[in-house]
Amino acid sequence: MTLEYQAKKAFLEIEADKYISYLCEPRTRPEVFAAIEKIALLHLEIQNCEDIIYTANIPEFDDPLN
C-alpha cells in the first residue's frame, strides 16, 4: 500500500514542479492565482500521502517508554 502512495507522491511532486516552472515566465494575474491554487492543492495531497506512508510504517507497538 505504501508503494502506491510513494508513487503518487512522486507524481504530485513532479506536477508541482511543473507549475512552479510555469510561474517563472511572465503570466497574467489570473494565471498566477490559478497556478498558486493548484500548487497549494498539490502540496496538500503530497502531505496526505506523507501522512499515510508514515502511519503505515509505524511499528504496531511503538511505545518509547518500554
Side-chain angles (χ1 to χ4, degrees), residues 12-13 15-17 19-20 23 31-48:
L12 292 170
E13 288 171 339
E15 288 297 306
D17 286 342
Y19 278 97
I20 292 168
L23 288 174
E31 290 174 330
V32 170
F33 291 141
I36 291 171
E37 182 179 344
K38 185 64 176 177
I39 292 168
L41 290 173
L42 288 168
H43 279 277
L44 283 175
E45 287 188 54
I46 289 168
Q47 184 62 48
N48 185 44

Side-chain angles (χ1 to χ4, degrees), residues 47-63:
Q47 184 62 48
N48 185 44
C49 288
E50 288 175 347
D51 291 345
I52 291 170
I53 293 166
Y54 176 78
T55 302
N57 290 317
I58 293 176
E60 187 175 346
F61 298 106
D62 189 21
D63 188 1

